[in-house]
Amino acid sequence: MYLAMLDRLLSVARAVLAALRGQLDALCWSLTPLSLSLSLPGRRRDSPSRWERKQEWDETSPTPTSVNYHFTRQCNYKCGFCFHTAKTSFVLPLEEAKRGLAMLKEAGMEKINFSGGEPFLQDRGEFVGKLVQFCKQELELPSVSIVSNGSLIRERWFKKYGEYLDILAISCDSFDEDVNVLIGRGQGKKNHVENLHKLRQWCREYAVAFKINSVINRFNVEEDMNEQIKALNPVRWKVFQCLLIEGENSGEDALREAEKFVISDEDFERFLDRHKDISCLVPESNQKMRDSYLILDEYMRFLNCRNGRKEPSKSILDVGVEAAIKFSGFDEKMFLTRGGKYVWSKADMKLDW
């Protein structure tokens, strides 16, 4: 009894600390819009930053053709292998986010993907909806997409913003609801798989390309998903090998302990072989994932994952895209090799809605 009460008190304390941290970050942002260093915990302004020290990273500037903007770390699920965890509650003001997106467009961005955390948590989906509309209507980007767990999406969102969205990717790691609960995708009485089918139907009705993302781990690696994937008929089925990132889901300062979810390369290959007849399958091993994504965090800093943890650049809002992207660790060749550039505008997909 006492242990349960203590556990609840600790949970409340963590939530309060996270909220205070987010408020402090927001205050620092408003007081010093040209410097993000104040909002970063543990950073002294008079000490040399990682940015100022000599780097071994590539000094050339790749083109940010496809960018993944994780504008929030907050999430209503607790997936045990998550590698972008709720370390802050900070979200940029809407106009600052738009400014950064316009800078990326100017630097050559063709595709923006909004992710988290859970993108639909912020203002009940209005924040991401406004960004989607801005990117399609004002920036005229060829492709605008979202990755979501789907639990908070309502039909009214499609009615308001669906026309501006090219692709909606829903995370689904299993078609066995007990496995989803075990992984951390359970949400009370809601059924994750039933909701997936509802979202699939809305995508048809509102002309949004439907995609599925699955993380293959120890709890679903033996599952046969052929029948269910073929029935849902997504434009792409992204299949990821469970990945460890120090400081996120591995190590002393991590909020998750994903080691128990890890599978071998051989196990991953066996899963792929079992589903080799699914034409929309796009496999991504740990090697392909680590360096082939351009990731922006909630401060619009590029995250370099080359060393097995996320090393942030300075914000593009402070130093510009060209200067910041040099420290992204982005492997443009691997991006192309893994099929990172594909037909990603729904206008070009010629889908039978």
Side-chain angles (χ1 to χ4, degrees):
M1 176 179 173
Y2 292 110
L3 288 175
M5 290 177 63
L6 180 61
D7 186 57
R8 284 196 293 272
L9 286 171
L10 287 172
S11 297
V12 171
R14 290 192 191 100
V16 170
L17 286 171
L20 289 172
R21 193 177 191 176
Q23 291 174 10
L24 179 61
D25 283 348
L27 178 61
C28 290
W29 180 270
S30 65
L31 291 174
T32 57
L34 295 178
S35 175
L36 286 171
S37 61
L38 287 175
S39 67
L40 302 178
R43 173 72 61 83
R44 290 182 56 188
R45 287 178 59 81
D46 58 349
S47 62
S49 68
R50 178 165 47 251
W51 177 274
E52 295 163 329
R53 296 195 296 268
K54 183 178 179 180
Q55 304 291 334
E56 296 179 356
W57 304 333
D58 190 0
E59 288 297 320
T60 61
S61 295
T63 302
T65 308
S66 176
V67 177
N68 297 274
Y69 177 24
H70 295 251
F71 65 82
T72 178
R73 284 180 172 266
Q74 297 299 298
C75 189
N76 60 326
Y77 277 8
K78 295 181 179 178
C79 302
F81 47 70
C82 179
F83 53 81
H84 200 73
T85 53
K87 292 199 159 188
T88 78
S89 58
F90 180 77
V91 176
L92 273 174
L94 181 66
E95 293 307 312
E96 284 295 279
K98 287 181 177 180
R99 181 166 73 89
L101 291 167
M103 292 168 66
L104 288 163
K105 166 66 186 301
E106 184 68 23
M109 179 176 68
E110 298 176 20
K111 181 182 187 296
I112 183 68
N113 179 56
F114 296 107
S115 188
E118 172 48 48
F120 285 84
L121 262 179
Q122 186 71 15
D123 298 334
R124 298 184 178 183
E126 282 297 305
F127 187 87
V128 71
K130 289 173 182 176
L131 291 181
V132 164
Q133 183 175 0
F134 172 75
C135 287
K136 181 58 72 171
Q137 199 171 51
E138 296 190 38
L139 298 186
E140 299 182 333
L141 291 182
S143 183
V144 181
S145 64
I146 299 174
V147 174
S148 168
N149 62 42
S151 64
L152 302 175
I153 306 176
R154 302 292 180 262
E155 187 176 7
R156 62 177 177 270
W157 191 94
F158 281 94
K159 290 179 179 178
K160 189 172 183 179
Y161 298 112
E163 64 179 294
Y164 309 112
L165 184 65
D166 289 278
I167 303 169
L168 176 65
I170 301 297
S171 300
C172 181
D173 307 311
S174 176
F175 291 92
D176 181 332
E177 198 60 26
D178 290 335
V179 174
N180 281 322
V181 172
L182 191 63
I183 287 171
R185 291 203 190 276
Q187 199 181 33
K189 296 180 180 179
K190 290 184 179 180
N191 186 298
H192 189 74
V193 177
E194 288 179 3
N195 194 54
L196 182 71
H197 284 270
K198 181 172 64 177
L199 290 165
R200 178 65 183 102
Q201 184 58 36
W202 284 341
C203 283
R204 284 194 183 99
E205 292 175 8
Y206 294 95
V208 176
F210 180 73
K211 177 182 171 185
I212 296 175
N213 287 352
S214 300
V215 177
I216 309 308
N217 60 84
R218 189 168 69 84
F219 298 104
N220 66 0
V221 69
E222 301 300 334
E223 190 171 339
D224 187 337
M225 304 183 188
N226 279 285
E227 184 178 341
Q228 293 88 347
I229 294 294
K230 287 177 181 177
L232 287 162
N233 192 29
V235 294
R236 280 164 78 84
W237 179 31
K238 272 283 193 75
V239 175
F240 304 96
Q241 183 180 2
C242 182
L243 176 68
L244 293 181
I245 297 289
E246 186 182 346
E248 296 283 357
N249 61 11
S250 177
E252 291 183 2
D253 56 343
L255 297 183
R256 296 285 191 276
E257 296 178 357
E259 286 83 359
K260 66 179 180 180
F261 292 91
V262 172
I263 59 173
S264 67
D265 293 345
E266 291 75 19
D267 287 337
F268 186 60
E269 287 300 323
R270 282 194 300 106
F271 181 90
L272 297 179
D273 186 63
R274 191 182 312 129
H275 299 88
K276 63 180 182 296
D277 293 331
I278 297 181
S279 59
C280 64
L281 188 153
V282 181
E284 294 201 4
S285 64
N286 287 173
Q287 181 185 7
K288 287 183 178 179
M289 288 174 64
R290 197 180 303 274
D291 306 324
S292 64
Y293 283 86
L294 271 176
I295 301 174
L296 276 182
D297 72 359
E298 64 273 28
Y299 301 98
M300 283 198 158
R301 305 176 300 184
F302 286 110
L303 298 179
N304 186 319
C305 300
R306 281 189 178 181
N307 297 319
R309 62 179 297 116
K310 291 179 176 177
E311 306 269 358
S313 71
K314 281 193 174 182
S315 173
I316 66 171
L317 297 169
D318 280 355
V319 300
V321 175
E322 185 177 357
I325 203 172
K326 291 178 181 178
F327 296 85
S328 65
F330 179 57
D331 186 337
E332 202 161 9
K333 289 182 179 178
M334 181 60 77
F335 165 75
L336 295 172
T337 299
R338 70 166 172 82
K341 192 163 186 177
Y342 56 97
V343 179
W344 51 32
S345 173
K346 65 182 179 183
D348 299 327
M349 291 182 187
K350 300 178 182 178
L351 296 176
D352 182 8
W353 301 110

